[in-house]
Amino acid sequence: MNEESLWTRFNDLAQELILCSFSLRLEERKDKLLELHLIGARLEQLVLNRQDEYQAVCRMEGLVYRASSAVSAAEQCENIREKGGRLYSYMGY
């Protein structure tokens, strides 16, 4: 893949994770987040020692942080729902 294709895929994955984390299954979220990190690493190698390296890395870090936060929030909500369901059944309702 060329650099432009990598940026497109990186942006698409980040947007999907940020906007759709709650509708993705756990395995899908983890696979997409892993792919996001792998593409980010490849992009980082491509921009290394270029004039726009700082801006590119900051842009990637921001998107990875937002995507990771969205995935984490979705996982926390699933855990709360699961615990709430067990508590509800434990109380005999």
Side-chain angles (χ1 to χ4, degrees), residues 55-66:
Q55 291 86 3
V57 171
C58 286
R59 181 174 146 203
M60 283 188 288
E61 285 180 355
L63 288 171
V64 168
Y65 175 79
R66 290 173 54 203

Side-chain angles (χ1 to χ4, degrees), residues 33-78:
L33 192 57
L34 175 63
E35 185 180 354
L36 184 72
H37 282 279
L38 293 173
I39 292 173
R42 288 174 60 192
L43 283 168
E44 191 172 355
Q45 289 175 344
L46 290 173
V47 301
L48 192 64
N49 296 322
R50 280 196 346 209
Q51 189 174 8
D52 65 339
E53 175 186 3
Y54 179 75
Q55 291 86 3
V57 171
C58 286
R59 181 174 146 203
M60 283 188 288
E61 285 180 355
L63 288 171
V64 168
Y65 175 79
R66 290 173 54 203
S68 296
S69 295
V71 167
S72 178
E75 289 174 5
Q76 289 175 16
C77 285
E78 286 177 359

Side-chain angles (χ1 to χ4, degrees), residues 8-45:
T8 300
R9 181 66 181 148
F10 183 85
N11 289 329
D12 291 346
L13 275 171
Q15 183 178 12
E16 185 176 1
L17 284 167
I18 292 166
L19 298 176
C20 303
S21 283
F22 287 89
S23 63
L24 297 172
R25 293 176 317 172
L26 178 64
E27 298 83 25
E28 290 176 308
R29 286 193 301 259
K30 288 187 177 194
D31 288 344
K32 289 180 186 294
L33 192 57
L34 175 63
E35 185 180 354
L36 184 72
H37 282 279
L38 293 173
I39 292 173
R42 288 174 60 192
L43 283 168
E44 191 172 355
Q45 289 175 344

